PDB file of all heavy atoms in Angstrom:
ATOM      1  N   GLY A  10      -3.305   0.242 -33.694  1.00  0.00           N
ATOM      2  CA  GLY A  10      -4.205  -0.894 -33.775  1.00  0.00           C
ATOM      3  C   GLY A  10      -4.262  -1.616 -32.441  1.00  0.00           C
ATOM      4  O   GLY A  10      -4.544  -1.006 -31.409  1.00  0.00           O
ATOM      5  N   PRO A  11      -3.962  -2.916 -32.412  1.00  0.00           N
ATOM      6  CA  PRO A  11      -4.068  -3.680 -31.171  1.00  0.00           C
ATOM      7  C   PRO A  11      -2.840  -3.593 -30.262  1.00  0.00           C
ATOM      8  O   PRO A  11      -2.810  -4.230 -29.219  1.00  0.00           O
ATOM      9  CB  PRO A  11      -4.243  -5.116 -31.674  1.00  0.00           C
ATOM     10  CG  PRO A  11      -3.480  -5.140 -32.954  1.00  0.00           C
ATOM     11  CD  PRO A  11      -3.667  -3.781 -33.566  1.00  0.00           C
ATOM     12  N   VAL A  12      -1.852  -2.811 -30.668  1.00  0.00           N
ATOM     13  CA  VAL A  12      -0.594  -2.753 -29.914  1.00  0.00           C
ATOM     14  C   VAL A  12      -0.408  -1.379 -29.277  1.00  0.00           C
ATOM     15  O   VAL A  12      -0.446  -0.353 -29.972  1.00  0.00           O
ATOM     16  CB  VAL A  12       0.613  -3.073 -30.813  1.00  0.00           C
ATOM     17  CG1 VAL A  12       1.910  -3.023 -30.012  1.00  0.00           C
ATOM     18  CG2 VAL A  12       0.448  -4.433 -31.479  1.00  0.00           C
ATOM     19  N   ARG A  13      -0.221  -1.354 -27.982  1.00  0.00           N
ATOM     20  CA  ARG A  13       0.127  -0.123 -27.266  1.00  0.00           C
ATOM     21  C   ARG A  13       1.619  -0.163 -26.948  1.00  0.00           C
ATOM     22  O   ARG A  13       2.108  -1.142 -26.378  1.00  0.00           O
ATOM     23  CB  ARG A  13      -0.677   0.011 -25.978  1.00  0.00           C
ATOM     24  CG  ARG A  13      -0.175   1.126 -25.041  1.00  0.00           C
ATOM     25  CD  ARG A  13      -1.175   1.451 -23.952  1.00  0.00           C
ATOM     26  NE  ARG A  13      -2.350   2.100 -24.537  1.00  0.00           N
ATOM     27  CZ  ARG A  13      -3.367   2.601 -23.824  1.00  0.00           C
ATOM     28  NH1 ARG A  13      -3.355   2.509 -22.505  1.00  0.00           N
ATOM     29  NH2 ARG A  13      -4.384   3.173 -24.421  1.00  0.00           N
ATOM     30  N   THR A  14       2.327   0.894 -27.313  1.00  0.00           N
ATOM     31  CA  THR A  14       3.754   1.000 -27.004  1.00  0.00           C
ATOM     32  C   THR A  14       3.962   2.074 -25.949  1.00  0.00           C
ATOM     33  O   THR A  14       3.510   3.211 -26.112  1.00  0.00           O
ATOM     34  CB  THR A  14       4.566   1.335 -28.267  1.00  0.00           C
ATOM     35  OG1 THR A  14       4.364   0.306 -29.244  1.00  0.00           O
ATOM     36  CG2 THR A  14       6.052   1.408 -27.940  1.00  0.00           C
ATOM     37  N   VAL A  15       4.637   1.717 -24.879  1.00  0.00           N
ATOM     38  CA  VAL A  15       4.983   2.650 -23.803  1.00  0.00           C
ATOM     39  C   VAL A  15       6.493   2.833 -23.854  1.00  0.00           C
ATOM     40  O   VAL A  15       7.248   1.865 -23.692  1.00  0.00           O
ATOM     41  CB  VAL A  15       4.549   2.105 -22.430  1.00  0.00           C
ATOM     42  CG1 VAL A  15       4.905   3.094 -21.327  1.00  0.00           C
ATOM     43  CG2 VAL A  15       3.062   1.785 -22.427  1.00  0.00           C
ATOM     44  N   THR A  16       6.929   4.070 -24.091  1.00  0.00           N
ATOM     45  CA  THR A  16       8.350   4.345 -24.300  1.00  0.00           C
ATOM     46  C   THR A  16       8.903   5.212 -23.172  1.00  0.00           C
ATOM     47  O   THR A  16       8.464   6.348 -22.982  1.00  0.00           O
ATOM     48  CB  THR A  16       8.571   5.050 -25.648  1.00  0.00           C
ATOM     49  OG1 THR A  16       7.991   4.273 -26.704  1.00  0.00           O
ATOM     50  CG2 THR A  16      10.060   5.236 -25.923  1.00  0.00           C
ATOM     51  N   LEU A  17       9.850   4.672 -22.420  1.00  0.00           N
ATOM     52  CA  LEU A  17      10.545   5.479 -21.419  1.00  0.00           C
ATOM     53  C   LEU A  17      11.310   6.556 -22.168  1.00  0.00           C
ATOM     54  O   LEU A  17      12.060   6.267 -23.104  1.00  0.00           O
ATOM     55  CB  LEU A  17      11.500   4.613 -20.592  1.00  0.00           C
ATOM     56  CG  LEU A  17      10.922   3.310 -20.009  1.00  0.00           C
ATOM     57  CD1 LEU A  17      11.926   2.676 -19.050  1.00  0.00           C
ATOM     58  CD2 LEU A  17       9.591   3.542 -19.339  1.00  0.00           C
ATOM     59  N   ASP A  18      11.150   7.808 -21.749  1.00  0.00           N
ATOM     60  CA  ASP A  18      11.564   8.908 -22.626  1.00  0.00           C
ATOM     61  C   ASP A  18      12.370   9.977 -21.904  1.00  0.00           C
ATOM     62  O   ASP A  18      11.991  11.140 -21.858  1.00  0.00           O
ATOM     63  CB  ASP A  18      10.315   9.529 -23.268  1.00  0.00           C
ATOM     64  CG  ASP A  18      10.652  10.444 -24.435  1.00  0.00           C
ATOM     65  OD1 ASP A  18      11.688  10.215 -25.084  1.00  0.00           O
ATOM     66  OD2 ASP A  18       9.869  11.385 -24.697  1.00  0.00           O
ATOM     67  N   ARG A  19      13.492   9.572 -21.353  1.00  0.00           N
ATOM     68  CA  ARG A  19      14.424  10.531 -20.774  1.00  0.00           C
ATOM     69  C   ARG A  19      15.827  10.145 -21.243  1.00  0.00           C
ATOM     70  O   ARG A  19      16.696   9.763 -20.444  1.00  0.00           O
ATOM     71  CB  ARG A  19      14.305  10.547 -19.245  1.00  0.00           C
ATOM     72  CG  ARG A  19      15.008  11.727 -18.593  1.00  0.00           C
ATOM     73  CD  ARG A  19      14.634  11.905 -17.128  1.00  0.00           C
ATOM     74  NE  ARG A  19      13.331  12.527 -16.973  1.00  0.00           N
ATOM     75  CZ  ARG A  19      12.238  11.885 -16.587  1.00  0.00           C
ATOM     76  NH1 ARG A  19      12.284  10.606 -16.296  1.00  0.00           N
ATOM     77  NH2 ARG A  19      11.091  12.530 -16.481  1.00  0.00           N
ATOM     78  N   PRO A  20      16.107  10.254 -22.563  1.00  0.00           N
ATOM     79  CA  PRO A  20      17.367   9.732 -23.115  1.00  0.00           C
ATOM     80  C   PRO A  20      18.605  10.413 -22.564  1.00  0.00           C
ATOM     81  O   PRO A  20      19.672   9.802 -22.490  1.00  0.00           O
ATOM     82  CB  PRO A  20      17.215   9.956 -24.621  1.00  0.00           C
ATOM     83  CG  PRO A  20      16.179  11.034 -24.752  1.00  0.00           C
ATOM     84  CD  PRO A  20      15.236  10.821 -23.619  1.00  0.00           C
ATOM     85  N   GLY A  21      18.492  11.680 -22.169  1.00  0.00           N
ATOM     86  CA  GLY A  21      19.646  12.364 -21.618  1.00  0.00           C
ATOM     87  C   GLY A  21      20.106  11.795 -20.300  1.00  0.00           C
ATOM     88  O   GLY A  21      21.249  12.032 -19.871  1.00  0.00           O
ATOM     89  N   ALA A  22      19.231  11.016 -19.646  1.00  0.00           N
ATOM     90  CA  ALA A  22      19.567  10.371 -18.375  1.00  0.00           C
ATOM     91  C   ALA A  22      19.385   8.860 -18.494  1.00  0.00           C
ATOM     92  O   ALA A  22      19.030   8.192 -17.517  1.00  0.00           O
ATOM     93  CB  ALA A  22      18.694  10.925 -17.253  1.00  0.00           C
ATOM     94  N   ALA A  23      19.642   8.324 -19.683  1.00  0.00           N
ATOM     95  CA  ALA A  23      19.511   6.877 -19.944  1.00  0.00           C
ATOM     96  C   ALA A  23      18.128   6.362 -19.568  1.00  0.00           C
ATOM     97  O   ALA A  23      17.970   5.247 -19.077  1.00  0.00           O
ATOM     98  CB  ALA A  23      20.607   6.101 -19.207  1.00  0.00           C
ATOM     99  N   ASN A  24      17.107   7.208 -19.814  1.00  0.00           N
ATOM    100  CA  ASN A  24      15.710   6.855 -19.555  1.00  0.00           C
ATOM    101  C   ASN A  24      15.447   6.498 -18.094  1.00  0.00           C
ATOM    102  O   ASN A  24      14.604   5.638 -17.787  1.00  0.00           O
ATOM    103  CB  ASN A  24      15.260   5.713 -20.481  1.00  0.00           C
ATOM    104  CG  ASN A  24      15.314   6.117 -21.940  1.00  0.00           C
ATOM    105  OD1 ASN A  24      15.006   7.247 -22.300  1.00  0.00           O
ATOM    106  ND2 ASN A  24      15.728   5.202 -22.798  1.00  0.00           N
ATOM    107  N   ALA A  25      16.187   7.158 -17.192  1.00  0.00           N
ATOM    108  CA  ALA A  25      15.962   6.954 -15.766  1.00  0.00           C
ATOM    109  C   ALA A  25      14.574   7.467 -15.386  1.00  0.00           C
ATOM    110  O   ALA A  25      14.048   8.404 -15.992  1.00  0.00           O
ATOM    111  CB  ALA A  25      17.036   7.671 -14.949  1.00  0.00           C
ATOM    112  N   LEU A  26      13.994   6.851 -14.368  1.00  0.00           N
ATOM    113  CA  LEU A  26      12.603   7.097 -14.001  1.00  0.00           C
ATOM    114  C   LEU A  26      12.455   8.015 -12.795  1.00  0.00           C
ATOM    115  O   LEU A  26      13.172   7.873 -11.800  1.00  0.00           O
ATOM    116  CB  LEU A  26      11.920   5.764 -13.680  1.00  0.00           C
ATOM    117  CG  LEU A  26      11.824   4.746 -14.821  1.00  0.00           C
ATOM    118  CD1 LEU A  26      11.449   3.384 -14.261  1.00  0.00           C
ATOM    119  CD2 LEU A  26      10.817   5.208 -15.868  1.00  0.00           C
ATOM    120  N   HIS A  27      11.500   8.931 -12.893  1.00  0.00           N
ATOM    121  CA  HIS A  27      11.012   9.670 -11.735  1.00  0.00           C
ATOM    122  C   HIS A  27       9.731   9.006 -11.257  1.00  0.00           C
ATOM    123  O   HIS A  27       9.144   8.171 -11.971  1.00  0.00           O
ATOM    124  CB  HIS A  27      10.767  11.131 -12.097  1.00  0.00           C
ATOM    125  CG  HIS A  27      12.022  11.918 -12.315  1.00  0.00           C
ATOM    126  ND1 HIS A  27      12.769  12.409 -11.276  1.00  0.00           N
ATOM    127  CD2 HIS A  27      12.662  12.286 -13.456  1.00  0.00           C
ATOM    128  CE1 HIS A  27      13.827  13.065 -11.755  1.00  0.00           C
ATOM    129  NE2 HIS A  27      13.788  12.999 -13.075  1.00  0.00           N
ATOM    130  N   LEU A  28       9.255   9.366 -10.083  1.00  0.00           N
ATOM    131  CA  LEU A  28       8.057   8.718  -9.550  1.00  0.00           C
ATOM    132  C   LEU A  28       6.831   8.975 -10.413  1.00  0.00           C
ATOM    133  O   LEU A  28       5.970   8.098 -10.556  1.00  0.00           O
ATOM    134  CB  LEU A  28       7.818   9.164  -8.105  1.00  0.00           C
ATOM    135  CG  LEU A  28       8.782   8.570  -7.078  1.00  0.00           C
ATOM    136  CD1 LEU A  28       8.518   9.149  -5.696  1.00  0.00           C
ATOM    137  CD2 LEU A  28       8.670   7.045  -7.033  1.00  0.00           C
ATOM    138  N   ASP A  29       6.737  10.162 -11.009  1.00  0.00           N
ATOM    139  CA  ASP A  29       5.604  10.428 -11.898  1.00  0.00           C
ATOM    140  C   ASP A  29       5.638   9.507 -13.118  1.00  0.00           C
ATOM    141  O   ASP A  29       4.590   9.128 -13.648  1.00  0.00           O
ATOM    142  CB  ASP A  29       5.605  11.890 -12.348  1.00  0.00           C
ATOM    143  CG  ASP A  29       5.202  12.851 -11.238  1.00  0.00           C
ATOM    144  OD1 ASP A  29       4.664  12.374 -10.214  1.00  0.00           O
ATOM    145  OD2 ASP A  29       5.431  14.059 -11.390  1.00  0.00           O
ATOM    146  N   ASP A  30       6.833   9.142 -13.566  1.00  0.00           N
ATOM    147  CA  ASP A  30       6.955   8.208 -14.686  1.00  0.00           C
ATOM    148  C   ASP A  30       6.430   6.833 -14.291  1.00  0.00           C
ATOM    149  O   ASP A  30       5.759   6.155 -15.077  1.00  0.00           O
ATOM    150  CB  ASP A  30       8.413   8.080 -15.129  1.00  0.00           C
ATOM    151  CG  ASP A  30       9.044   9.410 -15.501  1.00  0.00           C
ATOM    152  OD1 ASP A  30       8.306  10.303 -15.949  1.00  0.00           O
ATOM    153  OD2 ASP A  30      10.263   9.548 -15.330  1.00  0.00           O
ATOM    154  N   VAL A  31       6.761   6.418 -13.090  1.00  0.00           N
ATOM    155  CA  VAL A  31       6.310   5.123 -12.583  1.00  0.00           C
ATOM    156  C   VAL A  31       4.783   5.077 -12.563  1.00  0.00           C
ATOM    157  O   VAL A  31       4.158   4.095 -12.987  1.00  0.00           O
ATOM    158  CB  VAL A  31       6.897   4.891 -11.180  1.00  0.00           C
ATOM    159  CG1 VAL A  31       6.205   3.738 -10.475  1.00  0.00           C
ATOM    160  CG2 VAL A  31       8.399   4.643 -11.266  1.00  0.00           C
ATOM    161  N   ASP A  32       4.170   6.167 -12.087  1.00  0.00           N
ATOM    162  CA  ASP A  32       2.707   6.236 -12.058  1.00  0.00           C
ATOM    163  C   ASP A  32       2.126   6.202 -13.468  1.00  0.00           C
ATOM    164  O   ASP A  32       1.088   5.580 -13.712  1.00  0.00           O
ATOM    165  CB  ASP A  32       2.253   7.510 -11.347  1.00  0.00           C
ATOM    166  CG  ASP A  32       2.681   7.564  -9.888  1.00  0.00           C
ATOM    167  OD1 ASP A  32       2.951   6.490  -9.293  1.00  0.00           O
ATOM    168  OD2 ASP A  32       2.763   8.683  -9.340  1.00  0.00           O
ATOM    169  N   ALA A  33       2.790   6.874 -14.406  1.00  0.00           N
ATOM    170  CA  ALA A  33       2.303   6.920 -15.786  1.00  0.00           C
ATOM    171  C   ALA A  33       2.350   5.538 -16.438  1.00  0.00           C
ATOM    172  O   ALA A  33       1.454   5.176 -17.211  1.00  0.00           O
ATOM    173  CB  ALA A  33       3.124   7.921 -16.600  1.00  0.00           C
ATOM    174  N   ILE A  34       3.388   4.763 -16.143  1.00  0.00           N
ATOM    175  CA  ILE A  34       3.479   3.404 -16.682  1.00  0.00           C
ATOM    176  C   ILE A  34       2.331   2.556 -16.146  1.00  0.00           C
ATOM    177  O   ILE A  34       1.692   1.804 -16.891  1.00  0.00           O
ATOM    178  CB  ILE A  34       4.838   2.776 -16.335  1.00  0.00           C
ATOM    179  CG1 ILE A  34       5.969   3.519 -17.052  1.00  0.00           C
ATOM    180  CG2 ILE A  34       4.863   1.293 -16.713  1.00  0.00           C
ATOM    181  CD1 ILE A  34       7.352   3.161 -16.542  1.00  0.00           C
TER     182      ILE A  34
END
Side-chain angles (χ1 to χ4, degrees):
V12 181
R13 169 166 291 185
T14 301
V15 181
T16 305
L17 311 188
D18 194 28
R19 193 167 282 106
N24 297 322
L26 297 166
H27 288 280
L28 287 176
D29 288 346
D30 304 331
V31 166
D32 297 338
I34 294 168

